[in-house]
Amino acid sequence: MRNKFESLELGQFIPLHYHHNMLNDSVRVKGFKEAINMVVKPGDKVLELGGGTGAQSFFAAQKAQKVFCVERNPELVDAARNFLSTNINGEKVEVIQADALHYLPPEPVDVVICEMLHTGLLREKQLYVIDSFKKRYLEKFGGPLPIFVPEASIQAVQPVQQDFYFEGFYAPTILFQDPRSIQERSKDLADPEIFQMLSYTEPFSQTCCWDGKVVIAENGELNALRLITKNILAINFETGSTVDWHTQYIILPLPTPLSVAAGDHISIRFNYQGGDPLSALTDSLEVYFGKETRRWSEEETLNING
Ligand SMILES: C[S@@+](CC[C@H](N)C(=O)[O-])C[C@H]1O[C@@H](n2cnc3c(N)ncnc32)[C@H](O)[C@@H]1O
């Protein structure tokens, strides 16, 4: 049983060494650098919610007049201040130790950067934080809202046949996959189906859900679902191009595999709130195959979640 406190804190404390891994992810860092460079105009005021080591605030500071960088974790506040003090234009960034769920800048800002993104929009509080920020910002300053980086998130689910044998050891467990690598251990059984598209400037629901059908394209054993979250970091309206970034794919094993054939219709249903633990997805997951309905029992769900 998870308690309310655990659920509220979930995903909000990421240790420093994990931030170093995030900095080491060149696709991620290049993507945000390009997006921030595209969106921030000379003289802008920028707010970053969840600044971590301050890297994205640093990118913004190369053009902005002022950057407010809000971070809750004191270890990271110290790290960001240290790193920024040795980087060019770092003095334009004010690192503020505060909870992004309550903080508002002292003046209106042109751009808000917020990367509290986890696949499925699970665990981290992106939806909750941005929704709360928008309401409080509009109350204090009126419109218009700033531009958000990322601008939007698109989520999809895909049935797969996953090899869960590791050197002969069978372990059907949750796996992460690099979206840019060829997945030799996965066989795609159908195309991904989009279940959610949201723009951060528009009003959005914090519920992530789907009740839809997938037409199987390949014969195989449906034993897992792949969860895909693509984030549109910035949109260039002149060229019609976007800067995109996928979080790592998640492979969710299904407790009871189904033998499927091309042309079969499989229904998938789930419903959770953004920021919920992964178990909220698996707890609500139902798969319908023909007339057969599967609702995973508590015991099976526990197995999935390890
Ligand atoms: C995924 S990290 C991204 C860090 C940084 N923006 C980057 O790209 O390297 C999310 C950051 O948000 C911070 N955070 C999470 N919840 C927060 C909250 N309620 N208020 C302020 N910071 C928060 C975490 O401590 C973490 O540093």
Side-chain angles (χ1 to χ4, degrees), residues 13-268:
F13 284 93
I14 300 170
L16 184 58
H17 64 267
Y18 194 78
H19 281 266
H20 294 156
N21 268 348
M22 291 193 285
L23 287 175
N24 223 2
D25 179 345
S26 59
V27 173
R28 176 182 176 278
V29 176
K30 269 189 200 153
F32 274 97
K33 181 180 178 182
E34 189 185 343
I36 290 166
N37 193 40
M38 190 186 277
V39 168
V40 176
K41 305 290 175 232
D44 272 358
K45 294 186 178 136
V46 176
L47 168 64
E48 181 174 11
L49 299 171
T53 51
Q56 298 185 4
S57 287
F58 160 75
F59 296 139
Q62 303 318 304
K63 281 200 192 159
Q65 184 191 128
K66 169 87 188 172
V67 184
F68 303 99
C69 172
V70 177
E71 172 55 52
R72 189 178 171 204
N73 181 340
E75 189 188 15
L76 284 155
V77 169
D78 287 346
R81 285 183 182 146
N82 277 337
F83 294 144
L84 286 161
S85 71
T86 61
N87 275 281
I88 192 156
N89 289 320
E91 72 287 352
K92 290 194 205 167
V93 184
E94 185 182 340
V95 182
I96 300 135
Q97 185 184 356
D99 187 337
L101 277 168
H102 304 300
Y103 178 83
L104 275 180
E107 55 188 318
V109 292
D110 304 286
V111 178
V112 170
I113 302 164
C114 183
E115 195 278 88
M116 298 186 191
L117 292 163
H118 187 278
T119 306
L121 301 175
L122 288 153
R123 293 184 60 86
E124 295 196 53
K125 304 288 182 267
Q126 181 87 355
L127 297 186
Y128 196 24
V129 165
I130 293 184
D131 190 57
S132 146
F133 169 80
K134 280 167 44 179
K135 286 182 185 140
R136 291 178 295 107
Y137 185 90
L138 289 173
E139 258 171 43
K140 183 168 173 182
F141 300 116
L145 283 168
I147 298 172
F148 286 87
V149 177
E151 297 239 11
S153 294
I154 300 171
Q155 304 221 79
V157 68
Q158 182 176 29
V160 295
Q161 173 179 312
Q162 179 69 32
D163 178 357
F164 287 112
Y165 283 89
F166 304 91
E167 298 297 324
F169 180 63
Y170 177 64
T173 181
I174 287 177
L175 301 171
F176 289 94
Q177 290 182 332
D178 178 352
R180 294 169 300 274
S181 306
I182 294 170
Q183 301 299 334
E184 283 170 358
R185 299 165 64 91
S186 304
K187 175 179 170 184
D188 300 350
L189 298 176
D191 286 337
E193 290 286 340
I194 292 176
F195 66 87
Q196 188 175 29
M197 292 173 80
L198 64 93
S199 154
Y200 289 104
T201 37
E202 304 296 325
F204 55 78
S205 164
Q206 293 189 45
T207 302
C208 306
C209 61
W210 199 46
D211 187 354
K213 275 198 177 56
V214 174
V215 182
I216 297 295
E218 299 279 341
N219 299 349
E221 187 182 64
L222 167 54
N223 65 352
L225 295 179
R226 176 182 287 132
L227 192 59
I228 299 169
T229 303
K230 172 173 160 175
N231 305 288
I232 312 295
L233 300 185
I235 303 172
N236 183 335
F237 289 99
E238 279 164 28
T239 60
S241 59
T242 57
V243 182
D244 303 337
W245 175 59
H246 282 87
T247 54
Q248 288 198 312
Y249 295 154
I250 293 184
I251 296 290
L252 297 164
L254 301 181
T256 311
L258 302 171
S259 282
V260 292
D264 282 350
H265 287 237
I266 298 288
S267 295
I268 301 169

